[in-house]
Amino acid sequence: MALVSLFELLDHADREGYAVGAFNCNNMEIVQSIITAAEAESSPVIIQASQGAIKYAGLNYIIALVRQAAEGTAVPVVLHLDHGTSFDQVMQCIRFGFTSVMYDGSQLPLEDNIAQTCKVLEIARVFGVSVEAELGKIGGTEDDISVSEKDALLTDPAEAEHFVSETGVDALAVAVGTAHGLYKGEPEIDFERLAEINRLVSCPLVLHGSSGVPEKSIKKAIELGVRKFNIDTDIREVFVGSMRKALTNNPSEIDPRKILGPAREAAVEVIREKIRLFGSTGKAR
Ligand code: G3H
Ligand code: ZN
């Protein structure tokens, strides 16, 4: 089926109280893993590419892979730009067929973030493309985005209310204690803050840095309005771990399919678990 917008998926998720997984891709095998997992779970899915993934694979390849994957399946698929800090990159993705973009203005002062996000929304609305924004600074590193622990800044609920009412954004990524990349210990999520943001804000919430977050915390976050969970590190870990094991077991292997194939299968299982945890199993419509 044709690609769908983020708004379509999250509006239904909001009404039925579940969340949808947003899985980062940067090559063919991971796109295939995501689609295979979503089909097996009969679940909607968000396939997202960061600016780093676009630099690595090429925008045309990302679009061709994900568009092909969507057309070959009966589950709804969103193609989403993750952490679009470059206005030009956001515009290019809208122009070339992404159905959703994140404009990440979290590094800007509040009013500049609002102004830039409104500019993106004005254009995205013409193309029927959904827009996610970020308020607060999520720590850790995701490709070319890096925020140190001391610079990480939790989202202020009153600011979030102001931001969403000024912009009308479709989804808001909030900083409530998660971080990109591998956690050293269990992330401490500020659920009180999340509950207050959810009370004040009228749009679905997004949790970045969801790899490694305990199941009980994911379930609580869904109760508190999170409708999109971003997962990259968990996929990288299992994908590269499988490749490492294959090469250790057979150091003389020169057929990439023998290395990438099992990695692709291993990633399917991890993504299926996440989909079941987020509650979107059986929600494809
Ligand atoms: O934008 C991508 C995600 O926030 C990545 O989070 O490192 O926990 O997988 P993760
Ligand atoms: Zn992120």
Side-chain angles (χ1 to χ4, degrees):
M1 72 196 290
L3 289 165
V4 298
S5 73
L6 182 71
F7 175 78
E8 287 169 75
L9 289 200
L10 298 193
D11 184 46
H12 187 260
D14 219 17
R15 280 185 278 117
E16 298 215 353
Y18 63 90
V20 181
F23 302 100
N24 286 77
C25 75
N26 47 47
N27 66 17
M28 176 191 77
E29 285 78 6
I30 291 176
V31 170
Q32 291 173 321
S33 300
I34 297 168
I35 288 291
T36 303
E39 283 176 337
E41 295 296 328
S42 186
S43 166
V45 74
I46 301 156
I47 301 182
Q48 56 187 22
S50 67
Q51 292 174 157
I54 289 170
K55 213 179 293 171
Y56 170 78
L59 183 63
N60 50 350
Y61 280 93
I62 293 281
I63 289 174
L65 280 168
V66 179
R67 190 176 276 152
Q68 182 56 41
E71 280 162 15
T73 182
V75 298
V77 180
V78 172
L79 172 52
H80 178 77
L81 169 65
D82 188 29
H83 288 290
T85 52
S86 147
F87 185 81
D88 290 348
Q89 176 75 82
V90 172
M91 290 302 114
Q92 200 187 27
C93 289
I94 291 175
R95 203 168 136 249
F96 283 95
F98 276 58
T99 50
S100 179
V101 291
M102 175 185 189
Y103 173 69
D104 179 353
S106 58
Q107 305 297 321
L108 302 174
L110 175 64
E111 291 309 319
D112 294 352
N113 189 357
I114 289 174
Q116 283 292 86
T117 302
C118 284
K119 260 176 80 181
V120 169
L121 270 157
E122 201 182 326
I123 294 158
R125 286 285 179 266
V126 171
F127 292 87
V129 170
S130 305
V131 178
E132 171 190 338
E134 179 174 331
L135 192 63
K137 291 181 191 162
I138 296 158
T141 300
E142 167 67 24
D143 279 355
D144 51 357
I145 314 272
S146 216
V147 176
S148 68
E149 222 164 299
K150 75 171 175 45
D151 292 341
L153 187 71
L154 299 182
T155 304
D156 175 276
E159 274 193 9
E161 182 183 29
H162 172 62
F163 185 96
V164 171
S165 64
E166 288 296 304
T167 60
V169 74
D170 296 307
L172 182 68
V174 292
V176 289
T178 58
H180 291 127
L182 288 166
Y183 287 109
K184 294 184 190 77
E186 187 169 314
E188 266 181 58
I189 297 176
D190 186 339
F191 288 109
E192 263 178 52
R193 182 182 298 267
L194 183 58
E196 183 62 0
I197 295 168
N198 187 41
R199 191 177 68 80
L200 294 172
V201 156
S202 57
C203 72
L205 302 178
V206 183
L207 205 60
H208 284 240
S210 301
S211 292
V213 173
E215 290 197 4
K216 62 181 182 337
S217 298
I218 295 285
K219 289 180 178 153
K220 190 158 175 142
I222 295 171
E223 286 166 20
L224 297 177
V226 173
R227 296 289 174 258
K228 174 175 180 273
F229 289 100
N230 284 20
I231 298 285
D232 192 3
T233 301
D234 280 346
I235 297 173
R236 291 183 180 191
E237 266 203 303
V238 74
F239 195 88
V240 175
S242 168
M243 290 166 67
R244 194 173 287 119
K245 188 168 150 232
L247 285 168
T248 308
N249 294 344
N250 191 352
S252 58
E253 182 56 70
I254 62 161
D255 182 344
R257 293 167 299 182
K258 300 273 177 44
I259 310 300
L260 291 168
R264 180 171 55 188
E265 306 322 315
V268 170
E269 287 322 305
V270 167
I271 296 166
R272 287 191 66 175
E273 278 165 32
K274 298 293 177 187
I275 289 174
R276 288 194 290 267
L277 175 61
F278 300 153
S280 64
T281 293
K283 300 292 187 185
R285 32 195 262 285

